[in-house]
């Protein structure tokens, strides 16, 4: 089968799978959040953050994802984990296994899976504020709407605003509409000095919009993260990357998902240059 034909069949399958979703239109919920309480491990160095973004394919293999997040050298000990295509139970399971705070807002109730479907932010540092962001442009066929989950983390004496996003697919909206969706997140982020935006962008080039707004794009280059391209990314504002090797992609997902996770290291404080 040719690559073009395989891509077309995949797109048609994605389109068919997305016909049956019911939107959660309220800007306030449903909302699920929690923390590790007395079991919380003391956070480490507040000067750096290891950030991971992972689309878990309808949250079907949470146990496999937990094994990856606790064993892979690039993912183990992550300070911030952004998960897409999750439900509330899977989000809580990951957070409990890793001893993390979390907030989760579903975008839709997916009738195919019979479960909620949305984005989660998990953090080793306390989450002190959160918000659900309704993104513009409903899907042209299913009429479902995408959302982003926003959380403000207290990292030492600093605050970091974090967004987990899952932009619409190419069968749902146009590239221009995806750029509008990212601009909506960027608009909310404009009032925060330190920002992390990550997730499944369903687009290899939409990061140019973030770059135009002054964001670094450490995950721009690398191998495909899905069968159709390099769609999973992390963008940073007010945070520095320690070097050019401070980002990457985990190639072997051991059947935990149809996406590969991406990661990046960000620094809250830029080290002094030796004179």
């Amino acid at each position: 089968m040719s690559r073009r034909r395989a891509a077309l069949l995949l797109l048609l399958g994605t389109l068919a799978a997305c016909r049956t979703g019911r939107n959660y239109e309220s800007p306030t919920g449903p909302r699920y959040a929690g923390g590790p309480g007395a079991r919380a491990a003391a956070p480490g160095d507040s000067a750096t953050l290891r950030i991971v973004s992972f689309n878990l394919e309808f949250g079907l293999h949470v146990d496999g994802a937990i094994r990856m997040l606790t064993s892979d050298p690039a993912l183990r000990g992550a300070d911030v984990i952004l998960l897409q295509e999750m439900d509330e139970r899977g989000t809580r399971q990951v957070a409990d296994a890793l001893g993390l705070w979390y907030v989760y807002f579903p975008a839709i109730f997916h009738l195919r899976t019979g479960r909620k479907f949305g984005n989660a932010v998990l953090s080793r540092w306390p989450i002190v504020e959160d918000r659900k962001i309704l993104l513009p442009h409903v899907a042209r066929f299913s009429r479902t709407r995408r959302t982003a989950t926003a959380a403000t983390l207290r990292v030492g004496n600093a605050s970091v605003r974090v967004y987990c996003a899952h932009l619409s697919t190419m069968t749902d909206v146009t590239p221009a509409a995806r750029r509008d969706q990212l601009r909506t997140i960027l608009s909310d982020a404009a009032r925060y000095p330190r920002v992390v935006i990550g997730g499944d962008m369903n687009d290899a080039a939409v990061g140019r919009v973030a770059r135009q707004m002054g964001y670094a794009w450490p995950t721009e280059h690398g191998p495909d993260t899905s069968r159709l391209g390099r769609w999973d990314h992390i963008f940073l504002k007010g945070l520095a990357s320690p070097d050019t090797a401070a980002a990457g992609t985990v190639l072997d997902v051991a059947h935990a998902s149809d996406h590969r996770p991406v990661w990046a290291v960000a620094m809250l404080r830029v080290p002094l240059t030796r004179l």
Side-chain angles (χ1 to χ4, degrees):
M1 183 183 295
S2 70
R3 182 179 177 86
R4 182 176 180 182
R5 178 177 173 80
L8 178 60
L9 290 175
L10 179 60
L11 289 176
L12 292 175
T14 301
L15 175 60
C18 293
R19 292 177 189 272
T20 54
R22 185 172 68 246
N23 293 326
Y24 291 114
E25 293 285 2
S26 170
T28 60
R31 173 185 178 273
Y32 303 88
R39 298 180 296 105
D45 181 11
S46 63
T48 61
L49 293 174
R50 178 170 290 270
I51 304 154
V52 172
S53 178
F54 197 5
N55 179 324
L56 280 188
E57 190 184 9
F58 299 108
L60 293 176
H61 303 289
V62 171
D63 289 339
I66 290 171
R67 285 193 292 272
M68 287 189 61
L69 292 167
T70 54
S71 63
D72 189 282
L75 308 180
R76 187 174 57 239
D79 300 288
V80 179
I81 301 176
L82 311 176
L83 301 178
Q84 303 90 51
E85 299 197 13
M86 296 299 291
D87 65 8
E88 70 278 19
R89 181 177 178 180
T91 299
R92 186 173 59 251
Q93 185 178 347
V94 176
D96 286 348
L98 276 62
L100 304 177
W101 279 265
Y102 72 92
V103 61
Y104 165 72
F105 287 101
I108 66 171
F109 182 81
H110 206 295
L111 299 181
R112 173 185 158 195
T113 64
R115 295 187 285 116
K116 295 178 177 66
F117 175 98
N119 307 310
V121 175
L122 287 69
S123 171
R124 198 166 303 282
W125 296 90
I127 296 174
V128 297
E129 191 266 339
D130 58 74
R131 182 187 173 198
K132 171 185 174 182
I133 300 175
L134 296 171
L135 301 183
H137 305 294
V138 297
R140 58 169 63 94
F141 297 106
S142 67
R143 311 308 295 170
T144 53
R145 181 187 293 276
R146 297 297 173 116
T147 67
T149 294
T152 301
L153 314 183
R154 188 176 69 244
V155 182
N157 295 322
S159 64
V160 179
R161 184 70 160 181
V162 177
Y163 298 85
C164 182
H166 189 182
L167 306 186
S168 295
T169 70
M170 64 180 68
T171 58
D172 285 340
V173 304
T174 65
R178 270 190 299 282
R179 293 193 292 271
D180 285 346
Q181 291 176 337
L182 182 55
R183 288 189 185 101
T184 298
I185 299 169
L186 292 167
S187 177
D188 185 86
R191 55 201 170 103
Y192 298 95
R194 304 175 191 87
V195 179
V196 174
I197 301 174
D200 179 358
M201 303 297 154
N202 273 310
D203 194 317
V206 72
R208 296 170 187 168
V209 175
R211 176 181 289 141
Q212 290 169 359
M213 297 296 291
Y215 282 72
W217 187 2
T219 57
E220 178 179 8
H221 302 293
D224 288 353
T225 59
S226 75
R227 284 172 285 183
L228 295 180
R230 186 166 178 80
W231 284 357
D232 301 81
H233 290 286
I234 295 169
F235 312 118
L236 306 173
K237 183 183 78 171
L239 299 162
S241 292
D243 56 57
T244 57
T249 306
V250 176
L251 300 181
D252 184 5
V253 297
H255 308 291
S257 178
D258 59 349
H259 280 246
R260 293 166 167 169
V262 295
W263 60 273
V265 175
M267 299 181 66
L268 274 72
R269 298 193 297 270
V270 180
L272 297 175
T273 301
R274 182 174 295 177
L275 297 178

